[in-house]
Amino acid sequence: MSPAQGAQEAERRLGIPCFHVGQRVSGLFGCVACQFQIRNRKGLPTCPQCGEIIWGYLEDGPRPVPEGEEAVQVPDPAAGQQPVSVEEGVDLGGGAPEVVVEEGVKLE
Ligand SMILES: [Zn+2]
């Protein structure tokens, strides 16, 4: 598994933005293996405590974009030739699905 795949996998598992060693992102990060926390400013290191290479982003707010990388844009196949608009703060889900409770339903 490549570091990028490892970061994606950890991100799916933990539900927070994850990055791997060498990516230049700043902020507060926690080792996904031992929770060791660092305040990062340049390229992410390997964890000084356990050697892990994947870090979770611990701050609130939008996902930071590593220096030298483009923001991830999901192509919309239905967009056709329309210009792409960028929206910030879009909720990509992850919350609990809405549950509809009906009362007075009789099960015969
Ligand atoms: Zn660690």
Side-chain angles (χ1 to χ4, degrees):
M1 194 189 288
S2 73
Q5 286 172 323
Q8 281 176 7
E9 166 70 27
E11 181 158 339
R12 247 199 330 270
R13 190 158 45 89
L14 302 173
I16 58 173
C18 290
F19 299 90
H20 59 81
V21 63
Q23 286 188 293
R24 285 176 303 196
V25 279
S26 54
L28 183 65
F29 293 85
C31 170
V32 299
C34 74
Q35 279 80 51
F36 187 85
Q37 292 186 7
I38 59 168
R39 171 69 62 176
N40 193 59
R41 299 244 300 278
K42 298 179 291 181
L44 284 166
T46 54
C47 176
Q49 187 156 283
C50 76
E52 175 60 60
I53 61 169
I54 310 295
W55 298 89
Y57 182 63
L58 300 180
E59 296 192 45
D60 294 328
R63 176 197 185 84
V65 177
E67 204 179 308
E69 295 185 23
E70 298 281 326
V72 177
Q73 289 184 4
V74 181
D76 182 354
Q81 329 222 319
Q82 314 227 342
V84 176
S85 66
V86 177
E87 287 179 62
E88 292 191 0
V90 175
D91 184 358
L92 297 177
E98 204 171 324
V99 176
V100 177
V101 178
E102 285 184 48
E103 291 184 5
V105 176
K106 285 201 175 82
L107 298 173
E108 297 186 41

XYZ file of all heavy atoms in Angstrom:
799
model
N 0.853 -1.200 0.000
C 0.000 0.000 0.000
C 0.882 1.242 0.000
O 1.804 1.353 0.788
C -0.892 -0.033 1.252
C -2.045 0.954 1.191
S -2.933 1.096 2.748
C -3.802 -0.479 2.815
N 0.592 2.170 -0.889
C 1.386 3.391 -0.931
C 0.991 4.307 0.226
O -0.083 4.144 0.800
C 1.159 4.111 -2.259
O -0.119 4.700 -2.261
N 1.864 5.258 0.574
C 1.506 6.201 1.647
C 0.194 6.919 1.356
O -0.623 7.127 2.257
C 2.685 7.171 1.658
C 3.827 6.392 1.121
C 3.236 5.449 0.099
N -0.028 7.277 0.085
C -1.268 7.987 -0.260
C -2.478 7.081 -0.025
O -3.509 7.522 0.486
C -1.220 8.441 -1.713
N -2.353 5.814 -0.392
C -3.452 4.887 -0.153
C -3.667 4.671 1.332
O -4.798 4.554 1.798
C -3.160 3.540 -0.831
C -3.305 3.590 -2.342
C -2.826 2.303 -2.996
O -1.846 1.698 -2.561
N -3.513 1.877 -4.040
N -2.555 4.618 2.070
C -2.660 4.459 3.514
C -3.398 5.621 4.151
O -4.212 5.451 5.052
N -3.119 6.829 3.636
C -3.785 8.015 4.163
C -5.277 7.974 3.838
O -6.112 8.303 4.672
C -3.138 9.275 3.582
N -5.593 7.551 2.622
C -7.014 7.448 2.235
C -7.743 6.439 3.105
O -8.860 6.659 3.553
C -7.135 7.009 0.771
C -6.900 8.132 -0.203
C -6.943 7.639 -1.642
O -7.270 6.488 -1.900
N -6.611 8.515 -2.564
N -7.080 5.322 3.301
C -7.669 4.252 4.110
C -7.914 4.743 5.543
O -8.980 4.544 6.115
C -6.709 3.053 4.089
C -6.990 1.981 5.119
C -8.264 1.224 4.817
O -8.641 1.156 3.637
O -8.888 0.735 5.766
N -6.910 5.427 6.106
C -7.045 5.937 7.472
C -8.146 6.984 7.537
O -8.900 7.057 8.502
C -5.718 6.534 7.937
N -8.245 7.781 6.472
C -9.266 8.824 6.435
C -10.662 8.215 6.448
O -11.557 8.682 7.144
C -9.062 9.667 5.179
C -10.064 10.781 5.070
C -9.555 11.910 4.175
O -8.335 12.018 3.965
O -10.386 12.676 3.702
N -10.840 7.144 5.683
C -12.137 6.461 5.672
C -12.454 5.887 7.045
O -13.569 5.948 7.531
C -12.098 5.314 4.658
C -12.996 5.535 3.475
C -13.322 4.280 2.719
N -12.333 3.235 2.717
C -11.370 3.112 1.826
N -11.267 3.986 0.861
N -10.521 2.110 1.881
N -11.422 5.321 7.651
C -11.617 4.646 8.928
C -11.896 5.636 10.054
O -12.748 5.415 10.907
C -10.346 3.843 9.225
C -10.414 2.898 10.366
C -9.329 1.803 10.227
N -8.019 2.337 9.836
C -7.093 2.750 10.697
N -7.316 2.687 11.979
N -5.942 3.199 10.260
N -11.181 6.755 10.050
C -11.260 7.692 11.179
C -12.238 8.836 10.945
O -12.666 9.481 11.892
C -9.869 8.274 11.464
C -8.780 7.233 11.775
C -7.433 7.910 11.876
C -9.103 6.486 13.051
N -12.559 9.094 9.696
C -13.490 10.177 9.404
C -12.892 11.565 9.566
O -13.598 12.542 9.747
N -11.564 11.665 9.549
C -10.911 12.975 9.570
C -9.903 13.014 8.424
O -9.458 11.963 7.971
C -10.184 13.246 10.915
C -9.133 12.156 11.183
C -11.177 13.322 12.066
C -8.263 12.449 12.388
N -9.562 14.221 7.956
C -8.582 14.302 6.874
C -7.251 13.696 7.311
O -6.769 13.979 8.406
C -8.443 15.812 6.628
C -9.694 16.416 7.175
C -10.074 15.537 8.350
N -6.693 12.834 6.485
C -5.417 12.211 6.829
C -4.380 12.494 5.750
O -4.703 12.579 4.569
C -5.589 10.707 7.000
S -6.532 10.269 8.471
N -3.154 12.615 6.179
C -2.054 12.911 5.284
C -0.898 11.983 5.590
O -0.857 11.364 6.636
C -1.624 14.378 5.452
C -2.727 15.337 5.111
C -3.610 15.756 6.093
C -2.905 15.775 3.826
C -4.653 16.619 5.780
C -3.941 16.634 3.494
C -4.810 17.056 4.469
N 0.027 11.907 4.643
C 1.150 10.997 4.862
C 2.466 11.748 4.899
O 2.534 12.933 4.553
C 1.168 9.892 3.800
C 1.279 10.423 2.393
N 2.467 10.804 1.835
C 0.331 10.641 1.454
C 2.261 11.220 0.597
N 0.966 11.137 0.337
N 3.470 11.027 5.300
C 4.806 11.602 5.446
C 5.225 12.328 4.157
O 4.955 11.855 3.061
C 5.815 10.478 5.810
C 5.916 9.441 4.704
C 7.189 11.038 6.119
N 5.818 13.499 4.322
C 6.323 14.237 3.171
C 5.365 15.279 2.636
O 5.782 16.191 1.940
N 4.066 15.154 2.945
C 3.130 16.171 2.467
C 3.322 17.438 3.287
O 3.425 17.382 4.509
C 1.682 15.673 2.580
C 1.337 14.637 1.525
C -0.147 14.297 1.525
O -0.641 13.723 2.474
N -0.842 14.656 0.467
N 3.328 18.573 2.578
C 3.574 19.844 3.273
C 2.262 20.509 3.651
O 1.664 21.217 2.856
C 4.435 20.747 2.399
C 5.882 20.292 2.385
C 6.693 21.127 1.445
N 6.149 21.108 0.087
C 6.814 21.491 -0.979
N 8.034 21.922 -0.859
N 6.259 21.450 -2.167
N 1.835 20.205 4.842
C 0.617 20.810 5.370
C 0.918 21.315 6.768
O 1.702 20.722 7.499
C -0.548 19.792 5.441
C -1.209 19.631 4.095
C -0.078 18.442 5.950
N 0.277 22.438 7.132
C 0.512 22.953 8.464
C -0.726 22.798 9.319
O -1.845 22.785 8.824
C 0.957 24.409 8.407
O 0.021 25.152 7.669
N -0.493 22.666 10.603
C -1.604 22.518 11.538
C -1.271 21.478 12.588
O -0.134 21.031 12.712
N -2.309 21.111 13.335
C -2.131 20.137 14.399
C -2.488 18.748 13.872
O -3.582 18.532 13.354
C -3.033 20.505 15.580
C -2.915 19.632 16.825
C -1.519 19.771 17.449
C -3.983 20.010 17.845
N -1.549 17.838 14.004
C -1.753 16.492 13.497
C -1.537 15.465 14.594
O -0.740 15.667 15.504
C -0.782 16.195 12.338
C -1.078 17.017 11.121
C -0.561 18.296 10.996
C -1.893 16.531 10.122
C -0.852 19.073 9.884
C -2.194 17.295 9.010
C -1.673 18.569 8.894
N -2.248 14.354 14.483
C -2.076 13.263 15.428
C -1.705 11.988 14.688
O -2.301 11.659 13.657
N -0.733 11.278 15.200
C -0.346 9.984 14.636
C -1.547 9.036 14.708
O -2.185 8.917 15.749
C 0.821 9.413 15.434
S 1.197 7.707 15.034
N -1.862 8.382 13.582
C -3.034 7.515 13.577
C -2.783 6.220 14.351
O -3.705 5.497 14.665
C -3.503 7.165 12.143
C -3.895 8.424 11.392
C -2.454 6.366 11.382
N -1.524 5.936 14.644
C -1.219 4.697 15.349
C -1.128 4.894 16.861
O -1.685 4.131 17.636
C 0.085 4.092 14.827
N -0.428 5.945 17.292
C -0.200 6.090 18.730
C -0.735 7.415 19.288
O -0.557 7.707 20.470
C 1.296 5.951 19.059
S 2.279 7.386 18.579
N -1.389 8.212 18.441
C -1.989 9.480 18.874
C -0.987 10.544 19.281
O -1.371 11.572 19.854
C -3.000 9.272 20.025
C -4.367 8.806 19.552
C -4.382 7.317 19.271
O -3.969 6.532 20.100
N -4.836 6.930 18.095
N 0.266 10.315 19.027
C 1.262 11.348 19.294
C 0.909 12.588 18.476
O 0.597 12.492 17.301
C 2.647 10.828 18.897
C 3.780 11.745 19.284
C 4.327 11.697 20.542
C 4.304 12.652 18.366
C 5.383 12.544 20.900
C 5.352 13.498 18.711
C 5.892 13.442 19.981
N 0.936 13.764 19.126
C 0.511 14.966 18.414
C 1.672 15.880 18.085
O 2.599 16.040 18.872
C -0.520 15.746 19.258
C -1.819 14.974 19.380
C -2.896 15.779 20.092
O -2.722 16.959 20.386
N -4.018 15.126 20.367
N 1.594 16.446 16.897
C 2.618 17.403 16.487
C 1.947 18.641 15.917
O 0.849 18.594 15.395
C 3.567 16.823 15.407
C 2.771 16.401 14.162
C 4.372 15.670 15.964
C 3.651 16.107 12.966
N 2.642 19.745 16.033
C 2.229 20.974 15.370
C 3.137 21.066 14.156
O 4.328 21.296 14.278
C 2.417 22.150 16.337
C 2.240 23.509 15.747
C 0.838 23.847 15.351
N -0.093 23.858 16.470
C -1.375 24.219 16.349
N -1.851 24.574 15.166
N -2.162 24.193 17.381
N 2.570 20.809 12.994
C 3.408 20.687 11.807
C 3.451 21.969 11.000
O 2.468 22.701 10.928
C 2.881 19.553 10.930
C 3.870 19.177 9.851
O 4.995 18.791 10.153
N 3.467 19.302 8.604
N 4.593 22.254 10.379
C 4.694 23.457 9.560
C 5.228 23.152 8.171
O 4.923 23.839 7.226
C 5.623 24.475 10.228
C 5.133 24.921 11.588
C 4.793 26.392 11.609
N 5.948 27.212 11.269
C 6.894 27.544 12.116
N 6.843 27.135 13.356
N 7.878 28.302 11.735
N 6.042 22.118 8.050
C 6.637 21.829 6.734
C 6.171 20.453 6.289
O 4.993 20.147 6.350
C 8.158 21.917 6.843
C 8.607 23.320 7.240
C 10.114 23.423 7.371
C 10.609 22.638 8.569
N 12.049 22.715 8.771
N 7.088 19.642 5.823
C 6.712 18.297 5.413
C 6.434 17.431 6.634
O 7.134 17.518 7.647
N 5.409 16.601 6.537
C 5.099 15.722 7.665
C 6.227 14.711 7.866
O 6.733 14.135 6.908
C 3.787 14.969 7.400
C 2.504 15.790 7.582
C 1.320 15.044 6.972
C 2.252 16.080 9.048
N 6.610 14.498 9.121
C 7.681 13.539 9.423
C 7.092 12.141 9.629
O 5.876 11.960 9.606
C 8.227 14.078 10.751
C 6.990 14.626 11.434
C 6.107 15.186 10.323
N 7.960 11.179 9.840
C 7.464 9.927 10.403
C 7.255 10.188 11.892
O 7.893 11.061 12.483
C 8.479 8.775 10.233
O 9.726 9.192 10.777
C 8.664 8.423 8.769
N 6.340 9.423 12.497
C 6.054 9.644 13.908
C 7.319 9.414 14.731
O 7.936 8.355 14.629
C 4.949 8.696 14.368
S 4.614 8.814 16.138
N 7.728 10.425 15.518
C 8.951 10.272 16.322
C 8.804 9.205 17.396
O 9.795 8.735 17.955
C 9.143 11.663 16.934
C 7.823 12.340 16.836
C 7.091 11.725 15.683
N 7.578 8.833 17.682
C 7.365 7.877 18.761
C 7.261 6.436 18.263
O 7.805 5.526 18.853
C 6.104 8.261 19.535
C 5.869 7.430 20.777
C 5.011 8.181 21.767
O 5.474 9.079 22.458
N 3.742 7.833 21.819
N 6.523 6.245 17.150
C 6.296 4.858 16.720
C 6.653 4.594 15.265
O 6.598 3.465 14.810
C 4.842 4.452 16.985
S 3.668 5.154 15.794
N 7.023 5.643 14.521
C 7.453 5.408 13.149
C 6.328 5.382 12.122
O 6.575 5.158 10.941
N 5.104 5.616 12.570
C 3.959 5.649 11.641
C 4.146 6.784 10.633
O 4.767 7.798 10.939
C 2.672 5.849 12.465
C 1.396 6.028 11.661
C 1.081 4.840 10.768
O 0.911 3.723 11.290
O 1.025 5.034 9.554
N 3.600 6.602 9.423
C 3.756 7.644 8.401
C 2.447 8.347 8.050
O 2.419 9.216 7.193
C 4.361 7.055 7.104
C 3.451 5.967 6.519
C 5.761 6.503 7.373
C 3.874 5.544 5.112
N 1.363 7.950 8.701
C 0.067 8.571 8.418
C -0.364 9.431 9.602
O -0.309 9.007 10.751
C -1.026 7.507 8.157
C -0.561 6.483 7.131
C -2.336 8.183 7.719
C -0.328 7.024 5.747
N -0.811 10.639 9.282
C -1.226 11.593 10.302
C -2.657 12.043 10.068
O -3.047 12.294 8.929
C -0.315 12.828 10.281
C 1.113 12.534 10.595
C 2.082 12.185 9.711
C 1.727 12.546 11.887
N 3.272 11.981 10.378
C 3.078 12.201 11.709
C 1.264 12.827 13.172
C 3.974 12.119 12.778
C 2.160 12.750 14.235
C 3.501 12.394 14.034
N -3.408 12.190 11.130
C -4.763 12.726 11.023
C -4.747 14.203 11.368
O -4.054 14.632 12.291
N -5.523 14.982 10.620
C -5.615 16.423 10.860
C -6.604 16.652 11.995
O -7.769 16.274 11.903
C -6.084 17.107 9.584
C -6.174 18.603 9.659
C -5.040 19.366 9.882
C -7.394 19.251 9.489
C -5.114 20.743 9.936
C -7.477 20.636 9.538
C -6.327 21.375 9.761
O -6.418 22.741 9.811
N -6.149 17.286 13.074
C -6.952 17.378 14.292
C -7.699 18.695 14.455
O -8.444 18.868 15.412
C -6.054 17.162 15.518
C -5.327 15.812 15.575
C -4.475 15.734 16.821
C -6.304 14.655 15.505
N -7.484 19.618 13.547
C -8.151 20.915 13.725
C -9.504 20.918 13.029
O -9.760 20.136 12.124
C -7.263 22.009 13.160
C -5.948 22.115 13.925
C -5.198 23.380 13.560
O -5.835 24.444 13.493
O -3.989 23.298 13.338
N -10.352 21.833 13.475
C -11.625 22.019 12.805
C -11.390 22.794 11.514
O -10.326 23.315 11.286
C -12.587 22.810 13.695
C -12.962 22.015 14.932
O -13.016 20.775 14.829
O -13.185 22.629 15.989
N -12.423 22.893 10.737
C -12.310 23.707 9.548
C -12.042 22.860 8.324
O -12.005 21.644 8.398
N -11.885 23.552 7.213
C -11.740 22.844 5.943
C -10.452 22.046 5.888
O -9.481 22.351 6.573
C -11.737 23.972 4.902
C -11.298 25.184 5.644
C -11.792 25.013 7.060
N -10.495 21.039 5.081
C -9.326 20.198 4.882
C -8.187 21.028 4.301
O -8.366 21.724 3.301
C -9.731 19.115 3.877
C -8.644 18.206 3.469
C -9.058 17.476 2.190
N -8.032 16.504 1.877
C -7.997 15.302 2.418
N -8.958 14.895 3.189
N -7.010 14.478 2.148
N -7.028 20.995 4.935
C -5.907 21.765 4.388
C -5.399 21.140 3.088
O -5.456 19.927 2.920
C -4.847 21.672 5.485
C -5.179 20.434 6.244
C -6.668 20.248 6.140
N -4.960 21.988 2.182
C -4.419 21.479 0.921
C -2.894 21.515 1.006
O -2.312 22.563 1.245
C -4.888 22.338 -0.265
C -4.266 21.838 -1.560
C -6.402 22.320 -0.340
N -2.260 20.375 0.848
C -0.797 20.353 0.943
C -0.173 21.276 -0.097
O -0.672 21.391 -1.214
C -0.444 18.895 0.635
C -1.677 18.118 0.957
C -2.824 19.037 0.633
N 0.906 21.938 0.306
C 1.609 22.842 -0.589
C 2.032 22.080 -1.850
O 2.528 20.964 -1.779
C 2.860 23.325 0.156
C 3.400 24.631 -0.329
C 4.609 24.988 0.502
O 4.505 24.986 1.740
O 5.669 25.245 -0.086
N 1.783 22.690 -2.987
C 2.196 22.055 -4.229
C 1.191 21.065 -4.772
O 1.413 20.448 -5.794
N 0.059 20.910 -4.081
C -0.970 20.003 -4.582
C -2.249 20.774 -4.842
O -2.522 21.784 -4.221
C -1.252 18.886 -3.561
C -0.048 17.980 -3.353
C -0.401 16.814 -2.428
O -1.594 16.467 -2.325
O 0.523 16.261 -1.822
N -3.028 20.256 -5.757
C -4.309 20.880 -6.063
C -5.348 20.392 -5.074
O -5.265 19.280 -4.583
C -4.766 20.459 -7.466
C -3.828 20.883 -8.567
C -4.007 22.352 -8.915
O -5.151 22.818 -8.834
O -3.017 22.999 -9.244
N -6.321 21.225 -4.821
C -7.453 20.769 -4.027
C -8.140 19.653 -4.792
O -8.210 19.670 -6.015
C -8.425 21.902 -3.776
N -8.623 18.691 -4.057
C -9.288 17.564 -4.708
C -10.623 18.033 -5.263
O -11.452 18.579 -4.550
C -9.518 16.417 -3.712
C -10.274 15.283 -4.395
C -8.185 15.927 -3.180
N -10.794 17.825 -6.550
C -12.070 18.202 -7.148
C -12.719 16.956 -7.722
O -12.084 16.205 -8.442
C -11.859 19.213 -8.260
C -11.457 20.562 -7.706
C -11.345 21.603 -8.802
O -11.637 21.345 -9.948
N -10.917 22.788 -8.418
N -13.941 16.761 -7.362
C -14.653 15.594 -7.863
C -15.321 15.965 -9.173
O -16.161 16.850 -9.215
C -15.719 15.135 -6.852
C -16.444 13.900 -7.372
C -15.076 14.860 -5.507
N -14.918 15.313 -10.252
C -15.552 15.639 -11.535
C -17.011 15.202 -11.546
O -17.343 14.128 -11.059
C -14.719 14.838 -12.549
C -14.022 13.782 -11.762
C -13.913 14.277 -10.344
N -17.840 16.048 -12.065
C -19.259 15.725 -12.145
C -19.583 15.318 -13.579
O -19.515 16.135 -14.484
C -20.061 16.961 -11.736
C -21.549 16.673 -11.755
O -21.944 15.571 -12.180
O -22.318 17.557 -11.352
N -19.898 14.064 -13.785
C -20.132 13.590 -15.153
C -21.324 14.272 -15.808
O -21.412 14.338 -17.027
C -20.390 12.089 -14.980
C -20.696 11.900 -13.533
C -20.034 13.024 -12.798
N -22.229 14.806 -15.019
C -23.412 15.451 -15.576
C -23.147 16.904 -15.929
O -23.979 17.587 -16.495
C -24.573 15.362 -14.594
N -21.975 17.396 -15.569
C -21.696 18.813 -15.760
C -21.522 19.173 -17.225
O -21.728 20.308 -17.606
C -20.452 19.206 -14.979
N -21.153 18.177 -18.040
C -20.988 18.458 -19.460
C -19.955 19.535 -19.685
O -18.854 19.469 -19.172
N -20.324 20.564 -20.457
C -19.363 21.596 -20.778
C -19.525 22.812 -19.908
O -19.020 23.869 -20.229
C -19.561 21.993 -22.221
C -20.050 20.812 -23.000
C -19.380 20.704 -24.356
O -19.181 21.690 -25.016
N -19.014 19.533 -24.733
N -20.292 22.684 -18.861
C -20.479 23.850 -18.020
C -19.194 24.155 -17.270
O -18.466 23.248 -16.925
C -21.556 23.572 -16.994
C -22.734 22.920 -17.654
C -24.025 23.567 -17.236
O -24.071 24.247 -16.246
N -25.046 23.395 -17.997
N -18.971 25.412 -17.043
C -17.799 25.750 -16.231
C -17.946 25.168 -14.824
O -19.049 25.055 -14.308
C -17.806 27.283 -16.208
C -19.193 27.679 -16.613
C -19.727 26.567 -17.479
N -16.822 24.810 -14.271
C -16.845 24.200 -12.949
C -16.901 25.287 -11.892
O -16.137 26.233 -11.929
C -15.574 23.345 -12.737
C -15.551 22.792 -11.330
C -15.516 22.235 -13.762
N -17.835 25.155 -10.994
C -17.874 26.105 -9.895
C -17.366 25.433 -8.636
O -17.559 24.238 -8.438
C -19.290 26.633 -9.682
O -20.115 25.578 -9.250
N -16.700 26.203 -7.839
C -16.131 25.663 -6.612
C -16.903 26.203 -5.429
O -17.085 27.408 -5.290
C -14.645 26.044 -6.486
C -14.082 25.529 -5.173
C -13.860 25.502 -7.667
N -17.385 25.292 -4.616
C -18.085 25.732 -3.423
C -17.282 25.334 -2.209
O -16.747 24.237 -2.152
C -19.457 25.071 -3.324
C -20.446 25.619 -4.329
C -21.776 24.905 -4.198
O -22.387 25.002 -3.137
O -22.173 24.229 -5.150
N -17.250 26.217 -1.257
C -16.546 25.884 -0.035
C -17.533 25.530 1.055
O -18.672 25.972 1.030
C -15.683 27.056 0.417
C -14.537 27.293 -0.542
C -13.542 28.264 0.017
O -13.740 28.743 1.150
O -12.544 28.528 -0.660
N -17.064 24.744 1.971
C -17.910 24.404 3.096
C -19.047 23.475 2.716
O -20.068 23.436 3.380
N -18.855 22.709 1.649
C -19.891 21.770 1.250
C -19.840 20.556 2.168
O -18.785 19.990 2.407
C -19.685 21.319 -0.211
C -20.707 20.252 -0.585
C -19.805 22.510 -1.140
N -20.990 20.195 2.663
C -21.065 19.026 3.535
C -21.113 17.778 2.668
O -22.048 17.583 1.914
C -22.317 19.124 4.406
C -22.389 17.986 5.407
O -21.494 17.120 5.389
O -23.329 17.978 6.215
N -20.099 16.972 2.768
C -20.049 15.778 1.940
C -20.670 14.576 2.629
O -20.432 13.445 2.272
C -18.597 15.454 1.563
C -17.918 16.531 0.717
C -16.486 16.167 0.466
C -18.652 16.718 -0.604
N -21.462 14.834 3.626
C -22.133 13.719 4.290
C -21.287 13.180 5.422
O -20.423 13.859 5.942
N -21.517 11.971 5.796
C -20.789 11.410 6.911
C -21.599 11.456 8.178
O -21.281 10.797 9.157
N -22.656 12.227 8.173
C -23.526 12.269 9.350
C -24.444 11.063 9.354
O -24.460 10.263 8.427
N -25.189 10.929 10.409
C -26.120 9.808 10.487
C -27.247 10.039 9.490
O -27.683 11.161 9.285
C -26.687 9.704 11.894
N -27.690 8.974 8.849
C -28.825 9.136 7.947
C -30.068 9.533 8.723
O -30.237 9.158 9.877
C -28.974 7.746 7.321
C -28.268 6.820 8.252
C -27.210 7.620 8.933
N -30.872 10.316 8.072
C -32.069 10.778 8.747
C -33.049 9.629 8.912
O -33.318 8.893 7.986
C -32.709 11.885 7.926
C -33.563 12.793 8.770
C -33.994 14.004 7.965
O -33.180 14.470 7.154
O -35.120 14.439 8.158
N -33.532 9.490 10.099
C -34.460 8.402 10.365
C -35.847 8.973 10.561
O -36.046 9.911 11.323
C -34.047 7.609 11.629
C -35.091 6.532 11.938
C -32.674 7.003 11.448
N -36.799 8.410 9.842
C -38.170 8.869 9.986
C -38.897 7.916 10.927
O -38.925 6.699 10.714
C -38.886 8.891 8.619
C -40.338 9.305 8.807
C -38.163 9.820 7.666
N -39.419 8.485 11.971
C -40.145 7.649 12.928
C -41.627 7.863 12.722
O -42.124 8.984 12.762
C -39.762 8.013 14.380
C -40.565 7.171 15.356
C -38.268 7.841 14.589
N -42.343 6.788 12.511
C -43.780 6.891 12.396
C -44.407 6.296 13.626
O -44.053 5.228 14.078
C -44.270 6.106 11.168
C -43.956 6.831 9.870
C -44.543 6.074 8.693
O -45.722 5.698 8.758
O -43.786 5.823 7.738
N -45.335 7.057 14.153
C -46.004 6.532 15.329
C -47.372 5.993 14.947
O -47.962 6.389 13.951
C -46.161 7.648 16.362
C -44.816 8.049 16.942
C -44.971 9.088 18.037
O -46.107 9.407 18.383
O -43.950 9.562 18.536
N -47.829 5.113 15.768
C -49.181 4.590 15.544
C -49.258 3.585 14.420
O -50.335 3.302 13.918
N -48.123 3.059 14.025
C -48.166 2.034 12.984
C -48.562 0.706 13.617
O -47.957 0.284 14.602
C -46.813 1.893 12.290
C -46.831 0.766 11.282
C -46.436 3.211 11.608
N -49.547 0.101 13.047
C -49.988 -1.170 13.618
C -49.417 -2.331 12.822
O -49.517 -2.366 11.608
C -51.527 -1.276 13.568
C -52.221 -0.404 14.607
C -53.642 -0.940 14.836
C -54.305 -0.148 15.952
N -54.858 1.120 15.471
N -48.786 -3.208 13.546
C -48.313 -4.433 12.899
C -49.339 -5.529 13.174
O -49.569 -5.875 14.319
C -46.956 -4.836 13.445
C -45.837 -3.819 13.200
C -44.591 -4.234 13.907
C -45.573 -3.648 11.716
N -49.928 -6.011 12.145
C -50.987 -6.990 12.393
C -50.429 -8.370 12.593
O -49.435 -8.721 12.054
C -51.934 -7.011 11.201
C -52.603 -5.655 11.069
C -53.671 -5.701 9.971
O -54.393 -6.688 9.889
O -53.755 -4.742 9.221
Zn 2.945 7.232 16.384
